[in-house]
Amino acid sequence: MSELRETRLEKARTLAALGQGPYALRFEPTHRTAALQQAHADLPNGQERDVAVAVAGRVMTRRVMGKLAFFTLADETGPIQLFIEKATLAASMPEDPDAFAHLTSLVDAGDLIGVRGTLRRTDRGELSVKVTGWSMLTKALQPLPDKWHGLADVEKRYRQRYLDLIVSPDTRETFRRRALAVSAMRRWLDERDFLEIETPVLQSQPGGADARPFETHHNALDLPLTLRIATELHLKRLVVGGFERVYELGRIFRNEGVSTRHNPEFTSVEIYQAYADYTDMMALTEQLIAHVCQQVCGSTRISYQGTEIDLTPPWRRATMHALVQDATGLDFTGFSSRDEAAAAMQAKGLEVPALADSVGRLLVEAFEQRVEADLIQPTFVLDYPVENSPLARAHRSKPGLVERFELFIVGRETANAFSELIDPVDQRQRLEAQQERKAAGDDEAQTVDEDFLHALEVGMPPTGGLGIGIDRLVMLLTDSPSIRDVIAFPLLRPEARMESRPEAAAESRQEPRPAAMG
RNA sequence: GGGUCGCUAGCUCAGCGGUAGAGCACUCGGCUUUUAACCGAUUGGUCCUGAGUUCGAAUCUCAGGCGACCCA
C-alpha cells in the first residue's frame, strides 16, 4: 500500500544526494502559463521563439520517449507543455550531465517543479517551454487521482478538497467565482456608503432567527455561550447608535441537519438602511444581485441546472396570499378560525401539522407545500403573517400581516427582508409570545433580549433590513446543485481512518526526513 | 428521523456462492513530436467493520460505520 510512497521517498533521497533537496526554498517564475499562452498565440507550429521564460507548477502528465519527453505543467492559471530534449538539456546544464535522466526518472506526476527555457510550438500545435534547466520545488509523496477520470468519488472530493482543486478546473472556477461574488458585493455596498462592522460570533443569548444554536463555554468567565444564528440584533443596535447604513458579511452557525441546501455553518450578508422600508430593500436586492451576477457571469441571464434564469430587474412581486390562492384555490383571507383553514387544507390534500396553530401559520404551510418549489424565476413573496415574523413591522394596511418579503429563485429562499419593527412595546410583546412558544416545546422559537429592547427604547430610526444567503446565491451563479459544492470544506462526519499509521509513525522516529539529508 | 443506492489495488471500475480481475498509475526494458503516447514484462488486496448461514462468502442474511440522492 505504501509502496508508491516509498518509491517517491527514495527519489527524494536521491535528489538530496545529488545536492538538490526535494523541498526548494524559492523559485522566481517570469510568467504564468495563461499569460504565455495568450502572448504567444501567434507562434506558428514547429517554430521557436527565443524568449527566456521561467515557470513553476505541478506536473500533471508525463510522456517520456527515449531521448525526448513531454510533461504538462500546470500553475494556477492553467497548463503548459514542457518540451524536454536530452541533447538540449545536456548542453544547457553542463553541471549535471544526466539532467535528462534525472528529470525523467526523479520527477513524478504530482511534483511541483520550476523550469527555465525558451518557447516552441510543436508540430501538433502545442505551445511548449523548451526546457534548458529544471529544479525540484516540492516532491509529492502521494500520487494524483486518475488523470482521465479525475476524482469521481464525491465524498473524497469534499474530504480532500485539495485533490479536487488540483484535478478539477470546474471546482477551481467555482471558488474563484465565489470570491468574485463576495468582493463585488462588498464593493457595491461600500460604494453606496454602507459600512461593514463586525459583530460578535460568541453570544450569551442567541437571537435574530428561528434556529437552534451551537453551545460552547468560556472557561475564564465560566460562561455558557452560543454561536450566533444571525447578525440581526447587533446590526440593529448599530443603527440605533447612529450608523445609518451598515452591513456584515460573515459566518452564521445553526445547529441543524445537513442537506444539499444546508450546511451548519454558512455565510450571510445582512444589510440595514435607516429611513428605508421593505420596498426600498426590494429595489436594493434586485440591483445588488443583478450587479453581482453581471460581474461574476458577464450577464444577468444565466443557466442553472439546465433552466434559464433571468435576473434582469425588475423581478416578479406577489403576495403570499395570492400565490397560495393561485396554487390551491384557497383564499386564506376568508378563514375566521384555524380549524376552518385546517379543514379546507385537508380537503385539498394538504398536510396540517399540529405546530401550525393559527391561520397564518397554516398559510405558510400551504405556501411551503404548494408554491415554494415552483418559484423558479426570481420572485419577491410579500406580506407574511405576523406569527412567523417577530422582528418585522406590522403591515401599514393589512391587519395580521407584516411588511416582509422573501426572495425565491429556483425554488429556494435566497433573501429575507423587513420593514424593521422599531416599536419597543410591540417588539416586547412579540418576543414574549415567542418565549411562550419556546416554553411550550418549540426549540427554534426566539427569546426576549432585554438589552436589544432597551436599545429600541433609546430609539431606532425607521429602517429596512435585508439578509441574503451567500452560499445559495453562489450555487446559482456557479450552476452548483449542492451547497457543498460552493463551500471549500463542508461539514462531514470524521472519517474513521488511520489515526496511527505504523509506517509513518515509525519513519518519524527512526529516520531523518529527506530534507535533512542534503 | 424514514427510504433507495454505494463502499473491491494509489485512481476509475468489473466480478454477485467455487483460485481476487481489467484499464490507468507505479517498477523494469525499448522508443526524438507526444498530448488518455505507444510496445513488452512485472508489481500491487483487511473485497468498509463485525457476527451469522454454508463444505466453501467479495458475493447470501443480520447489525454497525461512512457517503450520495430522495422524502419529512
Side-chain angles (χ1 to χ4, degrees):
Chain A
M1 170 197 164
S2 62
E3 214 168 287
L4 291 171
R5 186 168 172 277
E6 186 48 48
T7 301
R8 286 167 175 248
L9 272 173
E10 184 54 41
K11 290 179 181 180
R13 289 185 203 102
T14 304
L15 281 164
L18 287 168
Q20 180 174 200
Y23 305 108
L25 278 169
R26 63 190 298 279
F27 185 83
E28 224 164 272
T30 57
H31 297 81
R32 299 231 268 185
T33 62
L36 282 178
Q37 299 277 14
Q38 198 177 358
H40 300 279
D42 62 326
L43 184 62
N45 290 5
Q47 303 272 310
E48 298 198 7
R49 189 165 280 172
D50 192 20
V51 288
V53 301
V55 293
R58 196 179 291 274
V59 175
M60 303 305 290
T61 64
R62 306 164 70 246
R63 294 176 293 282
V64 180
M65 45 206 69
K67 301 180 181 66
L68 180 69
F70 298 92
F71 287 12
T72 309
L73 189 75
D75 67 13
E76 187 183 334
T77 66
I80 195 164
Q81 182 169 267
L82 305 184
F83 180 92
I84 305 163
E85 264 182 325
K86 184 174 183 179
T88 304
L89 265 185
S92 61
M93 292 184 80
E95 73 279 8
D96 180 7
D98 296 321
F100 181 83
H102 290 149
L103 175 51
T104 53
S105 66
L106 298 178
V107 176
D108 293 300
D111 291 352
L112 294 158
I113 66 172
V115 299
R116 285 165 297 284
T118 55
L119 293 179
R120 174 193 181 95
R121 190 176 297 280
T122 62
D123 297 345
R124 302 290 182 86
E126 191 77 41
L127 183 68
S128 309
V129 175
K130 185 178 177 185
V131 176
T132 56
W134 74 279
S135 50
M136 176 64 71
L137 302 182
T138 297
K139 182 69 198 167
L141 301 183
Q142 297 287 339
L144 290 179
D146 189 284
K147 66 183 169 194
W148 184 243
H149 300 93
L151 258 197
D153 182 344
V154 184
E155 179 184 355
K156 189 155 280 185
R157 278 181 36 211
Y158 297 145
R159 282 195 198 281
Q160 302 186 34
R161 183 69 88 182
Y162 38 90
L163 285 180
D164 185 26
L165 289 166
I166 289 169
V167 300
S168 312
D170 290 352
T171 304
R172 288 197 297 275
E173 178 63 12
T174 293
F175 291 105
R176 202 184 65 81
R177 285 187 176 210
R178 181 176 179 128
L180 257 179
V182 167
S183 68
M185 184 173 283
R186 281 206 163 97
R187 215 172 315 123
W188 191 91
L189 288 164
D190 295 346
E191 282 167 2
R192 282 156 187 77
D193 295 326
F194 285 88
L195 205 60
E196 182 169 22
I197 300 185
E198 293 176 281
T199 66
V201 170
L202 293 174
Q203 307 178 341
S204 51
Q205 185 176 12
D210 302 334
R212 263 174 291 195
F214 284 93
E215 296 169 355
T216 184
H217 186 261
H218 186 274
N219 290 344
L221 298 183
D222 189 19
L223 190 64
L225 292 170
T226 60
L227 274 56
R228 68 180 176 193
I229 56 174
T231 47
E232 176 148 358
L233 301 188
H234 284 92
L235 289 172
K236 283 179 172 175
R237 285 172 169 93
L238 293 170
V239 176
V240 170
F243 290 114
E244 294 169 1
R245 294 181 171 211
V246 291
Y247 75 98
E248 180 173 11
L249 199 161
R251 203 70 59 84
I252 303 295
F253 306 86
R254 294 187 182 173
N255 207 335
E256 295 168 351
V258 170
S259 78
T260 48
R261 292 176 297 281
H262 298 87
N263 195 62
E265 55 178 306
F266 62 98
T267 302
S268 80
V269 61
E270 284 193 36
I271 303 167
Y272 292 84
Q273 179 175 342
Y275 314 119
D277 66 9
Y278 77 144
T279 61
D280 297 307
M281 300 320 279
M282 263 183 269
L284 188 153
T285 304
E286 282 174 345
Q287 297 303 321
L288 173 56
I289 291 181
H291 170 78
V292 170
C293 183
Q294 180 72 40
Q295 292 293 303
V296 173
C297 303
S299 167
T300 51
R301 290 163 190 249
I302 59 177
S303 169
Y304 183 77
Q305 303 293 297
T307 304
E308 297 303 316
I309 305 295
D310 188 354
L311 294 173
T312 312
W315 299 341
R316 179 187 183 198
R317 302 179 182 195
T319 65
M320 180 176 280
H321 279 87
L323 289 167
V324 168
Q325 189 165 7
D326 285 352
T328 66
L330 298 175
D331 178 7
F332 273 74
T333 59
F335 296 128
S336 55
S337 73
R338 189 261 179 197
D339 289 345
E340 187 187 350
M345 280 174 67
Q346 278 164 333
K348 295 282 186 182
L350 283 91
E351 287 176 38
V352 178
L355 264 178
D357 57 2
S358 69
V359 176
R361 289 204 162 87
L362 287 174
L363 170 68
V364 173
E365 272 298 326
F367 173 78
E368 288 175 354
Q369 288 178 41
R370 290 292 166 84
V371 180
E372 214 173 88
D374 297 325
L375 298 177
I376 305 304
Q377 298 301 321
T379 304
F380 290 115
V381 179
L382 310 189
D383 300 344
Y384 282 59
V386 64
E387 302 94 302
N388 285 62
S389 312
L391 302 169
R393 182 181 193 133
H395 197 281
R396 64 194 72 185
S397 62
K398 298 176 180 171
L401 302 185
V402 292
E403 298 202 345
R404 171 182 183 182
F405 72 78
E406 287 187 320
L407 168 65
F408 285 84
I409 310 175
V410 293
R412 290 195 285 257
E413 179 202 342
T414 303
N416 180 26
F418 319 138
S419 296
E420 299 297 342
L421 175 55
I422 59 174
D423 174 345
V425 176
D426 189 356
Q427 182 68 85
R428 176 175 294 279
Q429 287 168 355
R430 304 260 205 107
L431 289 180
E432 282 174 350
Q434 284 285 311
Q435 190 129 294
E436 280 169 29
R437 275 185 81 76
K438 194 174 198 76
D442 181 350
D443 53 12
E444 292 190 355
Q446 302 188 28
T447 57
V448 178
D449 184 330
E450 288 294 344
D451 181 73
F452 171 63
L453 289 170
H454 187 261
L456 290 189
E457 295 204 357
V458 170
M460 177 166 159
T463 298
L466 164 68
I468 301 174
I470 298 292
D471 307 275
R472 290 177 184 181
L473 181 60
V474 173
M475 286 168 69
L476 184 70
L477 300 182
T478 58
D479 197 15
S480 299
S482 169
I483 198 171
R484 283 185 285 267
D485 296 326
V486 301
I487 294 175
F489 303 100
L491 183 76
L492 296 172
R493 277 198 162 81
E495 200 176 16
R497 61 158 204 182
M498 48 183 180
E499 294 93 61
S500 64
R501 288 193 311 164
E503 86 273 17
E507 185 177 282
S508 67
R509 280 196 306 273
Q510 296 166 4
E511 297 176 37
R513 302 204 323 277
M517 297 179 75

